[in-house]
Amino acid sequence: MPTPDGPGDLLVVGAGVIGLATAWRVAARGATVTVADPAPGSGACHVAAGMLTPVSEVTYGEEPLLRLGLASRDRYPAFVAELEEVSGRRTGYRGDGVLQVAFDSDDLAFLEELRRFQQSLGLTVEALSGRECRRLEPMLAPSVRGGLLAAEDGSIDPRRLTAALLAAVEKEGVRIVRRRATHLLVEHDRAAGVRLEDGEELRADMVLLAAGAWSSDLQGLPEGVVPQVRPVKGQVLRLRSKIPFLERTTRGVVRGSSIYLVPREDGELVVGATQEEMGFDTTVTAGGLWQLLRDARELLPGVTELEFTEVSAGLRPGSPDNAPVLGASALPGLFLATGHFRNGVLLTPITADVMAEILVDGTVPPEAAPFTADRFAGEARA
Ligand code: GLY
């Protein structure tokens, strides 16, 4: 709660990219900030590939989310420059375009429809023949039928991003408490802090819930204050190449199913992702890996020659309408930055900026207005 003396204290529950970036921005505005998380950076951002693809992943009926995603993508260069300077760490940010390719003629028809939709929204995408796709990415299979290039989409390495954010918040004086927050403390009808797993209480003027898929789990949340956030599992595998395998992030549609491959400068290639509504299950399954490898090999036969390094499964936080929930809750003192679903990494810069404005100035910037929690009034439950 802003006071005449400056911003009040902030306690952030969750040290993923959303919680850390918001802590960084708010601490830079002069607030005393504490972040509680038993394992900072170990949630969805540890598994995420880090695509910055508002154009490539635009979805029917989600135009407000597209605008938020475009605005966040466009903040990335300045956000990364500042973060890398402050933290002294690289983030692996790339803004060099994303190619989307079609495996068969039905997939090509899907991309053609997508291009019409993108262009109807004023988005810039270039339609490419199969040969033009292979000129950009020589490892693509000769059978690839064609594609779309979204020249302004890009990627970042979420693990490096998290490490840089942790370094930046520590430089800003943010206290990181490596314990789980289990209960919300409510006093005089407002949030007053949290109780940790060992019983210690952390008190603050404002509590920000940024706990990803675990955001509905805090005990003591009054009924109806936090929209249900569900975990949506994604299995991802990591490969390594000694020589550059892909020039840029390449998405594919293979017999109607989507796959993406995100190359890093150090030779890592991240292949993702399944999308499964399985509750809090992070089992890696043979079927999930088979689906990813099968589709990756259809598009890029040479992928089977690469070194296998890691497989993991993460939990995306899905709100009831799959869009983020940003701003005040119905409980005074409790704020929400959660429900980012497939877009947590993309939406990190804008979430941090709008949340800082909401928490420090007490005003809701126009970008955040479509995403406030009151859109679920009547259906929200803790
Ligand atoms: N943003 C890509 C995914 O969630 O799989």
Side-chain angles (χ1 to χ4, degrees):
M1 179 177 48
T3 69
D5 305 328
D9 296 351
L10 172 67
L11 174 72
V12 181
V13 179
V17 286
I18 296 295
L20 289 172
T22 304
W24 181 42
R25 289 302 198 210
V26 173
R29 300 277 307 268
T32 300
V33 181
T34 302
V35 180
D37 192 314
S42 67
C45 57
H46 188 69
V47 177
M51 286 186 299
L52 308 176
T53 46
V55 172
S56 307
E57 286 204 33
V58 65
T59 303
Y60 294 98
E62 293 189 350
E63 285 85 344
L65 186 57
L66 166 70
R67 283 191 288 280
L68 193 72
L70 288 172
S72 198
R73 185 198 66 187
D74 294 346
R75 287 179 196 210
Y76 248 107
F79 176 82
V80 158
E82 188 182 345
L83 180 61
E84 291 189 346
E85 162 110 30
V86 168
S87 66
R89 289 170 177 266
R90 303 283 305 278
T91 59
Y93 169 73
R94 303 171 59 159
D96 50 0
V98 170
L99 178 65
Q100 184 147 225
V101 299
F103 173 70
D104 66 18
S105 52
D106 284 349
D107 299 327
L108 191 61
F110 170 81
L111 285 193
E112 190 44 38
E113 196 55 40
L114 177 63
R115 183 179 65 81
R116 276 195 284 274
F117 179 52
Q118 288 165 326
Q119 291 180 337
S120 76
L121 295 168
L123 302 171
T124 307
V125 282
E126 189 183 347
L128 302 176
S129 66
R131 184 179 299 227
E132 288 167 328
C133 291
R134 280 184 292 281
R135 204 172 295 137
L136 289 179
E137 294 295 349
M139 299 305 283
L140 282 170
S143 52
V144 160
R145 302 293 301 266
L148 300 176
L149 181 67
E152 290 167 289
D153 280 356
S155 68
I156 193 165
D157 182 338
R159 293 180 180 177
R160 287 177 185 263
L161 173 63
T162 309
L165 285 167
L166 271 169
V169 297
E170 282 175 2
K171 281 200 174 153
E172 235 7 290
V174 172
R175 179 179 168 218
I176 305 281
V177 176
R178 287 177 160 76
R179 279 169 286 161
R180 187 178 310 285
T182 55
H183 290 74
L184 180 73
L185 302 176
V186 180
E187 287 172 4
H188 310 297
D189 292 327
R190 60 173 295 127
V194 296
R195 186 174 312 129
L196 300 172
E197 56 194 336
D198 59 4
E200 189 187 338
E201 293 185 351
L202 300 176
R203 293 182 171 270
D205 300 322
M206 302 176 289
V207 176
L208 172 65
L209 194 48
W214 293 266
S215 295
S216 302
D217 276 11
L218 205 58
Q219 293 172 48
L221 287 169
E223 182 81 19
V225 156
V226 178
Q228 188 67 38
V229 179
R230 71 189 197 285
V232 183
K233 175 176 169 181
Q235 300 187 48
V236 169
L237 54 98
R238 285 172 158 79
L239 307 174
R240 185 164 294 283
S241 169
K242 290 194 179 67
I243 51 165
F245 186 76
L246 282 178
E247 294 294 323
R248 62 185 62 68
T249 294
T250 301
R251 298 175 50 83
V253 191
V254 181
R255 298 188 192 93
S257 82
S258 291
I259 185 157
Y260 51 80
L261 300 100
V262 182
R264 311 253 190 254
E265 277 167 9
D266 64 2
E268 183 177 73
L269 185 70
V270 185
V271 185
T274 64
Q275 187 166 311
E276 304 161 69
E277 306 267 355
M278 304 276 290
F280 285 94
D281 169 56
T282 51
T283 312
V284 171
T285 63
L289 295 187
W290 176 74
Q291 177 192 323
L292 295 174
L293 284 170
R294 176 200 63 195
D295 292 348
R297 194 182 65 160
E298 294 284 24
L299 297 179
L300 295 145
V303 86
T304 55
E305 305 297 323
L306 303 186
E307 180 191 358
F308 168 81
T309 58
E310 189 188 316
V311 59
S312 48
L315 299 172
R316 309 171 181 93
S319 74
D321 61 5
N322 292 335
V325 187
L326 306 173
S329 75
L331 179 70
L334 178 67
F335 296 81
L336 308 172
T338 187
H340 290 73
F341 192 40
R342 295 177 62 90
N343 297 301
V345 177
L346 169 65
L347 296 177
T348 292
I350 199 147
T351 298
D353 289 346
V354 302
M355 290 310 300
E357 191 168 333
I358 290 167
L359 291 160
V360 178
D361 302 325
T363 53
V364 179
E367 297 93 330
F371 303 103
T372 52
D374 53 11
R375 71 185 189 273
F376 300 116
E379 63 181 82
R381 65 184 182 85

